Each structure stands twice: as structure tokens, then as C-alpha cells.
């Protein structure tokens, strides 16, 4: 008899997005002529940069001729892209990351979901709250948790983000082995300083723990004092893996390209305490279960690092950041306390009450869709997230409507 | 302390391809002017069909404008592609497969490697020998085997392909729960008849087992009596999942698009015997750990089903099949017994001795690279695989050289 992985039964169905969809549909039905402005999900809306488009087309032309055709590429990604990444995103910022430490993939979601596979099942896992649900769900599927109780899984250590700590979690009080961190944060938009990340790196070193650092939103960091990579912290290459994506800087959410940095110095341990290279383990996993990213997509991603590409990416990120600033200023002007929106495309807003009450009010009185914070964990209750990924015209209109409604 | 998944330590490093690479390099060094012809790996060499190229370009033009830009798509794939697949590959052949049973992905390697995740760890797994190594390795990583002993993992049931059974394994003598099958077979090129597949479907029904059917090479089936999908067998939709790919029919090895058919009728069971929808489980896995395939790639794949696309695919497959026939005829003419090469791009050749001896002879005397069968499992010893994925000119040249050498 073919038996299921019973851990899947522990997964709590997330009613968040279906709940949102139902409420939005009901509103639209009642107000058929009203243009609803969606500032809920974190999906980009603007066209790919021209440099990427040109490289994309050129690569397809290569695929059209036997002589220049590309079949299977290296599972880890083409050297041209790995080198461009290592130089453009790390070496240029003083981080000692080499091309052979870059693993190109089709998404940070996949990588951040899959990475836990190479570790033992009885490790102690620490996950922020509020949080991107993939970190939690993939550990539940792997059997590292007990059942869910009151919205939290037994066996996980939750790193709480609160008003008091400015949504930068404190170090755990009991030891943990695998730590998920995400800065600039999704959903809160909070950013960690170098001093704060340094504490985590020291913690990891002292506890032989590993940090999985999700830096998918690093391009939005404008304050030069803030780190854009965990490798800006000395010694982080021994205790941290970093997830990056072209989704939010270059608008690749529908084009699909990302990468993970797995430094050679990173070690995990056998039960008998023998050190093993995490890069070797990940390389084995990656080459066995993945066949790399579409060649034309890798060429399009490479173009992000060209001079033209850099200028266009910077313009694109600036556009969304301008939206974010506008949203934050408006909401603050209306008397709401906000986090994020300065070095992040997300604005995390204290709802001054229930998440869903503010959600309903914004929808029903202004025709604007946001995301109730409760969907990101217990600590998200009492907050909403507004995303800056939309046209400035829509953002302006949304804020005008919200002002009018309040 | 961050501990590793100790199952990875059980994995046998495959020295096959590095061994091949070393021997080829040594030969090239000794014969710097000799043009080596590579008929080893199963990678296509010809350009993408023009219909795909056109659709690919057009989709990129959509990505270049805000108004037609595509961000995140449905994780399961766009409806336009799922519908084209369901109609073009199944309904048109009398198989009752619906669009919502198609899960688009970036590769059959990924899907065939990941699918085991949704099942319990203590299921009994049956895997053919010789075999595509991904099925074995991913079950080792998941902890479903013991250590390797004499080239085989304890705890797995090996389904032996031999000269005697024509490389169509017999049903297992002891009960199993999960069965991997691949027809037309990689590496042997053997094809199963409807009667043979029917036996497996009946076995699965009687034992509440599940078949993972890898049909990545179905496009090469020319004999109309042979099944191209397991769903041509009545009731297979209750006990089989099928992996398909655009890699070998449309030359997408470097473009990356594939899909998995997970019928609604497929069930797995809890320990207490309660039936659970496999589609629900896979959908949960797929949406949590995957973010779908690049939009332009999905548009290129859709073009495979256009009238122009079909004609071009058929020409492409015919080209490689012509190579395969030529190789098989030549090798048979030289006195070698062959399997495959008729409804498959692979020719599986009885080496009349050690795999590596024939490999070395073909390399050193003819400058032709093949794959020694021993790399695919114990039952591959004494065989070599020659791939038809190359230009006809190279294939002709290779065969002329081999004839001359023998």
C-alpha cells in the first residue's frame, strides 16, 4: 500500500488568500464599476529592463541555429552568470564570494524551500514570526515539527518580531541549529544593521548553527550603512547561506531566475561531530534534482550586470521605492505607525486594532486591497502589509481614496 | 550543532562520467588532431523548432511592455499550456486526462526526483536496473534505503532488465508500493507493449501500489501498436503518475520545460488506510516549493502543439530516429546484438564482454564516445549505450570509423 507522508496532514491550510479573494469578489459584485487597486501581493508590475529584453532575444536567436544552440548547461548555472553575480553583487562590495560559490536556480522560493533537505531531521529550527510561510511549511513537510497548536507548530522556535524590538527578533534563549532570517524583511520591511547581523553570525559560530539568509529584497536598501548581504559581516561565510533573486530588482517574477550563495567555508556536522562541506552536500542535491535554468533566461539575468542593465535596474527599484515612500508618508500623515517602505517595497502598518478590520475598511471604503498581517503568523496580528509594486498612478489614487475614506 | 542528512553519506559517488571524461581527455591529448565524435550523453544538438522560436520571441516582446507584462503565473502552469497538453498529448489519443491534471515544471528530472517526497519513508520502492540514476539517488537521500553493498542499496527492490526478458522487467515477487517505470527506456531503448503495461497496472491495483511512469521519450514511438502513455491502459489513471518533457521531442534540454500528469483518481493512503488524493498532496508540494516556469518558455512550449510546431517536432524526432536506425543497422551488421533504436533514440548494445573494454576500443580506435552500461546499474554490465543525438554527418562518420576499426 502506497502510504502518504503524514507530515502533510499537519499543514494548516492557509485561508488567507482565499479569504482575501472572497472578500474582494464580494466587494466587486456589490460595486461592479469600482476599479479595485491591488496593493496586496508582492508581484512586480513593470516591464523587464530593456537590457534584459535584448539579451533574452539574442539568446533565443542562438537557440534557432544548430551551430549556436545550447542543450543541457551546467546544473549550477553558466560560468558567465556565476562570474557576473560574484563580481557584481559581492566582490564589488568587498565580500569575498567566488563564482563557484554561486548556485543559479529558478527561484528563491525553491531554494529556500529545498535547502533544509540536506540537514538531519532532528535539528532545532528557528523561524521568525511574522514570516514568509515557505520556511515553516517546508520544515513541517520534512517532519521537523509536531502538530499545529493555536497557529504555531510545536517543535519550532519562533523568533518574534514585535513593536518593541522594531521587528528585529532577539537571539533565541534556547539553542537552535538552523536559523532563517530575511532582511529587508518580508512582510515587515524592517532592515537589520550590521551590528544586529553580527550578533547572529556570532551566535551561529558559538553554537555551530547555520543561518539561511534570505536577501531577496536587498536591491531596495538605499541607506549605505545597512548591509545588503550577510557576507558584509566578517566570518559570515563560515555560518551563512544566502538566497538572492532577480524577481524584485529586475522584475523576473514571471521570468524565473535566482541564486543561492553556498560558501566553501560553510560546514555542517555528522552525529559524530565530523565537519562536512555544506557546498558539497548542496551540490549533490542540486545536480541530482535540478537541471539548471533556461539558457536564454540566464543570458537575460546576466544583462542585469551590464552598465545599461545596472542603470535600468536602479531606475526600476527607484520607481517602486518612490511608491513606497509615498504610501508610508501618506499613512503616517493619517496617523498610522509604519515600519519599512524606506529600504523595502513593503510598508508594515500598525492597524490600531484587528488586521481584518482595517483590511475590510480599506477594501469597502476605498476599494484598495492590502494583506492582513495575521496571514504571516501570530505576531502579524494587528498589522497590515501594503506593497509598493504597482504603478505610481494607482498608488496615488489608492492613497487619495484611503485619505478620503478615513 | 547543525547536523547533516546522514543519508547523503550512503550515496555512491558516480565515477562514470568523470571516468569517461578522463579517458576522453587522455585520448585527445595523445591524438590532438583527432575529431572526437560524442554519442555518449542524451543531449539534443539541433536548433529549437521555428514555431517555438517565434512564440518565444513574441512572449519576450510582451514582457517588454507594462501593459502586457507577466509577473507570477499560476504555480501549476498557465491554462493555455495545460489545455494544449491535455488535448494534444492525451485527449487526442483517447486518454481521459484533463488540463487540471497537468502540472507544468522545469524538468522531468526535477519531478521524478521530487515526487517521492509526498510518500511515507517506510514504503517499499521498486526501481529498474539498468536505470536513470535519479530515481535511486533521490530515494537514498530520503532515507528509504540502507547502505550500498556491491553496487546495490539494501532495502530497494531491483527490477532486473536482462537479455532474457528483453529488458522489460518481470513483476516483483515480493510486494512493493512505489514502482518506477520508464518506456521507451533510458538507457536501453526497450519499449513495453500495452499488454506488458497492463500487467503493471493490474499489479498496482491489486497491491494499492503507485506507478511513476517516465515517458520522456514517448515522441520516439513510431509503432502505432505501442503505447505512448500509460493512460492508454484502462484504469491507469487510478494508479499511475506520468512524467513528460519537451527536452527530447522539441529540443528543450537547455530551454527547460516539462510536465507531470497527476490524475484526480490517484490515491495514496494514511497508515490507518484512509484514501488521500495524490493530486492534492502534489499540489501542496508544488505550490509550496515551486513558482512555475518562465512565461516565455511556456509560450514556446505551447507552440509545440500548433500545426507548424507539430510538423517541425515530427521532422526533428524523425531526424534523430534516422540516426538511430543507421547506428543500429551498422552495429548489427558488425555482429552486435542491439536493443532500442527503433522507437527510441538510444541503442543498447551487447558488448560481448566488458562494457569498458568496448568503450575503450571505440574511443581509442575510432575516436567515438559512448556510455558504458555499467554506469546505469549492475544489469548494465556487458552493454554500452549509443545515443542518436548528433548530426547525421557525425553519426555516419562515427559508424564508418567503427567499421574500419573492427
Amino acid at each position: 500500500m502506497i502510504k502518504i507522508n503524514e507530515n502533510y496532514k499537519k499543514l494548516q491550510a492557509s485561508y488567507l488568500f482565499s479569504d482575501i479573494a472572497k472578500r474582494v469578489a464580494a466587494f466587486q459584485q456589490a460595486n461592479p464599476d469600482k476599479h479595485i487597486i491591488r496593493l496586496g501581493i508582492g508581484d512586480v508590475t513593470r516591464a523587464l529592463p530593456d537590457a534584459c529584453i535584448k539579451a533574452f532575444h539574442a539568446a533565443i536567436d542562438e537557440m534557432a541555429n544548430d551551430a549556436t544552440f545550447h542543450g543541457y548547461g551546467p546544473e549550477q548555472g553558466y560560468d558567465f552568470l556565476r562570474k557576473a553575480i560574484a563580481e557584481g553583487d559581492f566582490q564589488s562590495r568587498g565580500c569575498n564570494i567566488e563564482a563557484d560559490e554561486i548556485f543559479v536556480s529558478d527561484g528563491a522560493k525553491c531554494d529556500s524551500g529545498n535547502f533544509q533537505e540536506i540537514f538531519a531531521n532532528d535539528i532545532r529550527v528557528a523561524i521568525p514570526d511574522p514570516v514568509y510561510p515557505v520556511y515553516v511549511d517546508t520544515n513541517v513537510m520534512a517532519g521537523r515539527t509536531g502538530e499545529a497548536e493555536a497557529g504555531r507548530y510545536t517543535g519550532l522556535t519562533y523568533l518574534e518580531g514585535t513593536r518593541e524590538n522594531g521587528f528585529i527578533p532577539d537571539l533565541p534563549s534556547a539553542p537552535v541549529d538552523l536559523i532563517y532570517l530575511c532582511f529587508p524583511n518580508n512582510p515587515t520591511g524592517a532592515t537589520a544593521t550590521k551590528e544586529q547581523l553580527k550578533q547572529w553570525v556570532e551566535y551561529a559560530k558559538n553554537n555551530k548553527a547555520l543561518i539561511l539568509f534570505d536577501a531577496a529584497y536587498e536591491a531596495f536598501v538605499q541607506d549605505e550603512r545597512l548591509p545588503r548581504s550577510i557576507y558584509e559581516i566578517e566570518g559570515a561565510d563560515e555560518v551563512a547561506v544566502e538566497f538572492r533573486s532577480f524577481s524584485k530588482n529586475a522584475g523576473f517574477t514571471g521570468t524565473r531566475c535566482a541564486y543561492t550563495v553556498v560558501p566553501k567555508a560553510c560546514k555542517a556536522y555528522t552525529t559524530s561531530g565530523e565537519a562536512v562541506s555544506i557546498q558539497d552536500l548542496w551540490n549533490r542535491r542540486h545536480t541530482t534534482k535540478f537541471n539548471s535554468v533556461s539558457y536564454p533566461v540566464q543570458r537575460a539575468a546576466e544583462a542585469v550586470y551590464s552598465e545599461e542593465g545596472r542603470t535600468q535596474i536602479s531606475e526600476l527599484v527607484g520607481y517602486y521605492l518612490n511608491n513606497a515612500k509615498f504610501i508610508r508618508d501618506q499613512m503616517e500623515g493619517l496617523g498610522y505607525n509604519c515600519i519599512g517602505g524606506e529600504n523595502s517595497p513593503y510598508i508594515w502598518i500598525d492597524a490600531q486594532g484587528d488586521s481584518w478590520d482595517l483590511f475590510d475598511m480599506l477594501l469597502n471604503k476605498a476599494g484598495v486591497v492590502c494583506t492582513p498581517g495575521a496571514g504571516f503568523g501570530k505576531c502579524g496580528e494587528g498589522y497590515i502589509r501594503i506593497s509598493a509594486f504597482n504603478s505610481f498612478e494607482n498608488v496615488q489614487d489608492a492613497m487619495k481614496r484611503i485619505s478620503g475614506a478615513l
Side-chain angles (χ1 to χ4, degrees), chain A residues 8 15 20 28 40 48 73 88 112 119 146 179 208 221 226 238 242 278 300 318 350 363 390:
Chain A
Y8 275 61
Y15 296 111
I20 292 177
Q28 187 77 85
L48 290 187
S112 62
F119 302 114
I179 302 156
K208 288 189 171 177
V221 172
L226 292 173
E238 295 169 35
E242 185 165 298
I278 288 179
D350 188 331
L363 175 63
N390 212 315

PDB file of all heavy atoms in Angstrom, chain A residues 8 15 20 28 40 48 73 88 112 119 146 179 208 221 226 238 242 278 300 318 350 363 390:
ATOM      1  N   TYR A   8       2.317  15.918   5.921  1.00  0.00           N
ATOM      2  CA  TYR A   8       1.486  16.836   5.148  1.00  0.00           C
ATOM      3  C   TYR A   8       0.141  17.097   5.847  1.00  0.00           C
ATOM      4  O   TYR A   8      -0.472  18.135   5.625  1.00  0.00           O
ATOM      5  CB  TYR A   8       1.244  16.287   3.735  1.00  0.00           C
ATOM      6  CG  TYR A   8       2.334  16.620   2.746  1.00  0.00           C
ATOM      7  CD1 TYR A   8       3.637  16.180   2.940  1.00  0.00           C
ATOM      8  CD2 TYR A   8       2.071  17.379   1.607  1.00  0.00           C
ATOM      9  CE1 TYR A   8       4.643  16.481   2.031  1.00  0.00           C
ATOM     10  CE2 TYR A   8       3.077  17.679   0.687  1.00  0.00           C
ATOM     11  CZ  TYR A   8       4.360  17.233   0.910  1.00  0.00           C
ATOM     12  OH  TYR A   8       5.353  17.534  -0.003  1.00  0.00           O
ATOM     13  N   TYR A  15      -6.001  29.990   4.777  1.00  0.00           N
ATOM     14  CA  TYR A  15      -7.214  30.546   4.197  1.00  0.00           C
ATOM     15  C   TYR A  15      -7.025  32.015   3.845  1.00  0.00           C
ATOM     16  O   TYR A  15      -7.910  32.660   3.335  1.00  0.00           O
ATOM     17  CB  TYR A  15      -8.398  30.350   5.152  1.00  0.00           C
ATOM     18  CG  TYR A  15      -8.704  28.894   5.361  1.00  0.00           C
ATOM     19  CD1 TYR A  15      -8.470  28.273   6.577  1.00  0.00           C
ATOM     20  CD2 TYR A  15      -9.194  28.126   4.305  1.00  0.00           C
ATOM     21  CE1 TYR A  15      -8.727  26.928   6.749  1.00  0.00           C
ATOM     22  CE2 TYR A  15      -9.452  26.778   4.464  1.00  0.00           C
ATOM     23  CZ  TYR A  15      -9.220  26.175   5.687  1.00  0.00           C
ATOM     24  OH  TYR A  15      -9.463  24.851   5.851  1.00  0.00           O
ATOM     25  N   ILE A  20      -9.139  36.549   1.299  1.00  0.00           N
ATOM     26  CA  ILE A  20      -8.987  37.850   0.647  1.00  0.00           C
ATOM     27  C   ILE A  20      -9.761  37.857  -0.672  1.00  0.00           C
ATOM     28  O   ILE A  20     -10.533  38.762  -0.962  1.00  0.00           O
ATOM     29  CB  ILE A  20      -7.495  38.167   0.395  1.00  0.00           C
ATOM     30  CG1 ILE A  20      -6.777  38.387   1.737  1.00  0.00           C
ATOM     31  CG2 ILE A  20      -7.334  39.397  -0.513  1.00  0.00           C
ATOM     32  CD1 ILE A  20      -5.276  38.633   1.603  1.00  0.00           C
ATOM     33  N   GLN A  28     -16.503  43.511  -5.294  1.00  0.00           N
ATOM     34  CA  GLN A  28     -16.600  43.831  -6.727  1.00  0.00           C
ATOM     35  C   GLN A  28     -18.019  43.595  -7.244  1.00  0.00           C
ATOM     36  O   GLN A  28     -18.530  44.367  -8.064  1.00  0.00           O
ATOM     37  CB  GLN A  28     -15.593  42.997  -7.525  1.00  0.00           C
ATOM     38  CG  GLN A  28     -15.495  43.381  -8.993  1.00  0.00           C
ATOM     39  CD  GLN A  28     -14.683  44.664  -9.230  1.00  0.00           C
ATOM     40  OE1 GLN A  28     -13.463  44.627  -9.327  1.00  0.00           O
ATOM     41  NE2 GLN A  28     -15.355  45.806  -9.319  1.00  0.00           N
ATOM     42  N   GLY A  40      -1.770  44.182  -2.601  1.00  0.00           N
ATOM     43  CA  GLY A  40      -1.657  43.034  -1.698  1.00  0.00           C
ATOM     44  C   GLY A  40      -0.388  42.244  -1.933  1.00  0.00           C
ATOM     45  O   GLY A  40       0.564  42.333  -1.167  1.00  0.00           O
ATOM     46  N   LEU A  48      10.209  44.147 -18.072  1.00  0.00           N
ATOM     47  CA  LEU A  48      11.618  43.806 -17.885  1.00  0.00           C
ATOM     48  C   LEU A  48      12.493  44.939 -18.419  1.00  0.00           C
ATOM     49  O   LEU A  48      12.142  45.576 -19.409  1.00  0.00           O
ATOM     50  CB  LEU A  48      11.983  42.534 -18.665  1.00  0.00           C
ATOM     51  CG  LEU A  48      11.427  41.193 -18.194  1.00  0.00           C
ATOM     52  CD1 LEU A  48      12.067  40.063 -19.021  1.00  0.00           C
ATOM     53  CD2 LEU A  48      11.691  40.950 -16.715  1.00  0.00           C
ATOM     54  N   GLY A  73      22.919  22.732 -19.867  1.00  0.00           N
ATOM     55  CA  GLY A  73      24.002  23.550 -19.339  1.00  0.00           C
ATOM     56  C   GLY A  73      24.473  22.962 -18.023  1.00  0.00           C
ATOM     57  O   GLY A  73      23.904  21.981 -17.538  1.00  0.00           O
ATOM     58  N   GLY A  88      29.577  41.287  -9.469  1.00  0.00           N
ATOM     59  CA  GLY A  88      28.642  42.411  -9.395  1.00  0.00           C
ATOM     60  C   GLY A  88      27.953  42.565  -8.051  1.00  0.00           C
ATOM     61  O   GLY A  88      27.725  43.684  -7.586  1.00  0.00           O
ATOM     62  N   SER A 112      14.918  28.313  -0.945  1.00  0.00           N
ATOM     63  CA  SER A 112      14.698  28.439   0.497  1.00  0.00           C
ATOM     64  C   SER A 112      13.811  27.299   0.997  1.00  0.00           C
ATOM     65  O   SER A 112      13.886  26.918   2.157  1.00  0.00           O
ATOM     66  CB  SER A 112      14.126  29.814   0.863  1.00  0.00           C
ATOM     67  OG  SER A 112      12.867  30.009   0.267  1.00  0.00           O
ATOM     68  N   PHE A 119      19.855  18.634   5.674  1.00  0.00           N
ATOM     69  CA  PHE A 119      20.148  18.543   7.105  1.00  0.00           C
ATOM     70  C   PHE A 119      19.336  17.431   7.776  1.00  0.00           C
ATOM     71  O   PHE A 119      18.347  16.954   7.237  1.00  0.00           O
ATOM     72  CB  PHE A 119      19.890  19.901   7.785  1.00  0.00           C
ATOM     73  CG  PHE A 119      20.707  20.996   7.164  1.00  0.00           C
ATOM     74  CD1 PHE A 119      20.112  22.043   6.482  1.00  0.00           C
ATOM     75  CD2 PHE A 119      22.098  20.945   7.221  1.00  0.00           C
ATOM     76  CE1 PHE A 119      20.887  23.025   5.870  1.00  0.00           C
ATOM     77  CE2 PHE A 119      22.875  21.923   6.613  1.00  0.00           C
ATOM     78  CZ  PHE A 119      22.265  22.964   5.933  1.00  0.00           C
ATOM     79  N   GLY A 146       5.944  19.187  15.388  1.00  0.00           N
ATOM     80  CA  GLY A 146       4.777  18.444  15.818  1.00  0.00           C
ATOM     81  C   GLY A 146       3.544  19.047  15.161  1.00  0.00           C
ATOM     82  O   GLY A 146       3.640  19.676  14.106  1.00  0.00           O
ATOM     83  N   ILE A 179      18.782  28.647  11.409  1.00  0.00           N
ATOM     84  CA  ILE A 179      18.105  29.926  11.659  1.00  0.00           C
ATOM     85  C   ILE A 179      17.732  30.572  10.330  1.00  0.00           C
ATOM     86  O   ILE A 179      18.603  30.808   9.482  1.00  0.00           O
ATOM     87  CB  ILE A 179      19.037  30.886  12.419  1.00  0.00           C
ATOM     88  CG1 ILE A 179      19.479  30.268  13.746  1.00  0.00           C
ATOM     89  CG2 ILE A 179      18.367  32.245  12.636  1.00  0.00           C
ATOM     90  CD1 ILE A 179      20.787  30.825  14.275  1.00  0.00           C
ATOM     91  N   LYS A 208      27.678  26.487  16.544  1.00  0.00           N
ATOM     92  CA  LYS A 208      27.794  25.667  15.336  1.00  0.00           C
ATOM     93  C   LYS A 208      26.443  25.593  14.614  1.00  0.00           C
ATOM     94  O   LYS A 208      26.004  24.530  14.167  1.00  0.00           O
ATOM     95  CB  LYS A 208      28.303  24.259  15.660  1.00  0.00           C
ATOM     96  CG  LYS A 208      29.783  24.247  16.054  1.00  0.00           C
ATOM     97  CD  LYS A 208      30.312  22.826  16.150  1.00  0.00           C
ATOM     98  CE  LYS A 208      31.829  22.833  16.311  1.00  0.00           C
ATOM     99  NZ  LYS A 208      32.388  21.496  16.482  1.00  0.00           N
ATOM    100  N   VAL A 221      17.665  48.332  -0.526  1.00  0.00           N
ATOM    101  CA  VAL A 221      18.431  49.016   0.515  1.00  0.00           C
ATOM    102  C   VAL A 221      19.094  50.247  -0.089  1.00  0.00           C
ATOM    103  O   VAL A 221      19.886  50.135  -1.034  1.00  0.00           O
ATOM    104  CB  VAL A 221      19.499  48.084   1.129  1.00  0.00           C
ATOM    105  CG1 VAL A 221      20.422  48.874   2.060  1.00  0.00           C
ATOM    106  CG2 VAL A 221      18.832  46.927   1.865  1.00  0.00           C
ATOM    107  N   LEU A 226      23.499  50.268   5.822  1.00  0.00           N
ATOM    108  CA  LEU A 226      22.845  48.956   6.013  1.00  0.00           C
ATOM    109  C   LEU A 226      23.486  47.892   5.129  1.00  0.00           C
ATOM    110  O   LEU A 226      23.857  48.164   3.993  1.00  0.00           O
ATOM    111  CB  LEU A 226      21.356  49.067   5.658  1.00  0.00           C
ATOM    112  CG  LEU A 226      20.486  49.922   6.581  1.00  0.00           C
ATOM    113  CD1 LEU A 226      19.082  50.064   5.984  1.00  0.00           C
ATOM    114  CD2 LEU A 226      20.390  49.297   7.980  1.00  0.00           C
ATOM    115  N   GLU A 238      31.382  31.415   6.968  1.00  0.00           N
ATOM    116  CA  GLU A 238      31.536  30.120   7.651  1.00  0.00           C
ATOM    117  C   GLU A 238      30.208  29.597   8.181  1.00  0.00           C
ATOM    118  O   GLU A 238      30.099  28.412   8.495  1.00  0.00           O
ATOM    119  CB  GLU A 238      32.519  30.255   8.822  1.00  0.00           C
ATOM    120  CG  GLU A 238      33.935  30.594   8.380  1.00  0.00           C
ATOM    121  CD  GLU A 238      34.808  30.972   9.568  1.00  0.00           C
ATOM    122  OE1 GLU A 238      34.635  30.403  10.661  1.00  0.00           O
ATOM    123  OE2 GLU A 238      35.672  31.865   9.391  1.00  0.00           O
ATOM    124  N   GLU A 242      23.138  32.344   1.567  1.00  0.00           N
ATOM    125  CA  GLU A 242      22.286  33.495   1.227  1.00  0.00           C
ATOM    126  C   GLU A 242      21.459  33.229  -0.021  1.00  0.00           C
ATOM    127  O   GLU A 242      21.984  32.766  -1.041  1.00  0.00           O
ATOM    128  CB  GLU A 242      23.161  34.744   1.036  1.00  0.00           C
ATOM    129  CG  GLU A 242      22.360  36.018   0.799  1.00  0.00           C
ATOM    130  CD  GLU A 242      23.211  37.291   0.965  1.00  0.00           C
ATOM    131  OE1 GLU A 242      23.715  37.508   2.074  1.00  0.00           O
ATOM    132  OE2 GLU A 242      23.359  38.035  -0.012  1.00  0.00           O
ATOM    133  N   ILE A 278      29.060  22.001   3.418  1.00  0.00           N
ATOM    134  CA  ILE A 278      27.660  22.220   3.020  1.00  0.00           C
ATOM    135  C   ILE A 278      27.576  22.413   1.509  1.00  0.00           C
ATOM    136  O   ILE A 278      26.623  21.989   0.864  1.00  0.00           O
ATOM    137  CB  ILE A 278      27.066  23.425   3.788  1.00  0.00           C
ATOM    138  CG1 ILE A 278      26.861  23.022   5.256  1.00  0.00           C
ATOM    139  CG2 ILE A 278      25.752  23.890   3.180  1.00  0.00           C
ATOM    140  CD1 ILE A 278      26.298  24.123   6.138  1.00  0.00           C
ATOM    141  N   ALA A 300      19.492  36.668 -20.009  1.00  0.00           N
ATOM    142  CA  ALA A 300      18.735  37.865 -19.603  1.00  0.00           C
ATOM    143  C   ALA A 300      19.187  38.322 -18.218  1.00  0.00           C
ATOM    144  O   ALA A 300      19.337  39.525 -17.959  1.00  0.00           O
ATOM    145  CB  ALA A 300      17.233  37.577 -19.628  1.00  0.00           C
ATOM    146  N   GLY A 318      14.076  52.299  -7.987  1.00  0.00           N
ATOM    147  CA  GLY A 318      13.754  53.657  -7.538  1.00  0.00           C
ATOM    148  C   GLY A 318      12.270  53.978  -7.713  1.00  0.00           C
ATOM    149  O   GLY A 318      11.660  54.654  -6.875  1.00  0.00           O
ATOM    150  N   ASP A 350       0.739  49.449  11.556  1.00  0.00           N
ATOM    151  CA  ASP A 350       0.030  49.099  12.787  1.00  0.00           C
ATOM    152  C   ASP A 350      -1.446  49.420  12.567  1.00  0.00           C
ATOM    153  O   ASP A 350      -1.818  50.585  12.369  1.00  0.00           O
ATOM    154  CB  ASP A 350       0.610  49.925  13.943  1.00  0.00           C
ATOM    155  CG  ASP A 350       0.063  49.475  15.289  1.00  0.00           C
ATOM    156  OD1 ASP A 350      -1.087  48.970  15.336  1.00  0.00           O
ATOM    157  OD2 ASP A 350       0.783  49.627  16.283  1.00  0.00           O
ATOM    158  N   LEU A 363     -10.809  48.045   1.890  1.00  0.00           N
ATOM    159  CA  LEU A 363     -11.472  47.472   0.721  1.00  0.00           C
ATOM    160  C   LEU A 363     -12.826  48.151   0.492  1.00  0.00           C
ATOM    161  O   LEU A 363     -13.111  48.660  -0.602  1.00  0.00           O
ATOM    162  CB  LEU A 363     -11.650  45.964   0.896  1.00  0.00           C
ATOM    163  CG  LEU A 363     -12.445  45.254  -0.204  1.00  0.00           C
ATOM    164  CD1 LEU A 363     -11.736  45.370  -1.561  1.00  0.00           C
ATOM    165  CD2 LEU A 363     -12.671  43.778   0.146  1.00  0.00           C
ATOM    166  N   ASN A 390       3.186  48.542  -7.869  1.00  0.00           N
ATOM    167  CA  ASN A 390       2.075  48.923  -8.728  1.00  0.00           C
ATOM    168  C   ASN A 390       2.514  50.200  -9.439  1.00  0.00           C
ATOM    169  O   ASN A 390       3.633  50.683  -9.208  1.00  0.00           O
ATOM    170  CB  ASN A 390       0.799  49.139  -7.904  1.00  0.00           C
ATOM    171  CG  ASN A 390      -0.456  48.773  -8.702  1.00  0.00           C
ATOM    172  OD1 ASN A 390      -0.583  49.147  -9.867  1.00  0.00           O
ATOM    173  ND2 ASN A 390      -1.352  48.026  -8.093  1.00  0.00           N
TER     174      ASN A 390
END
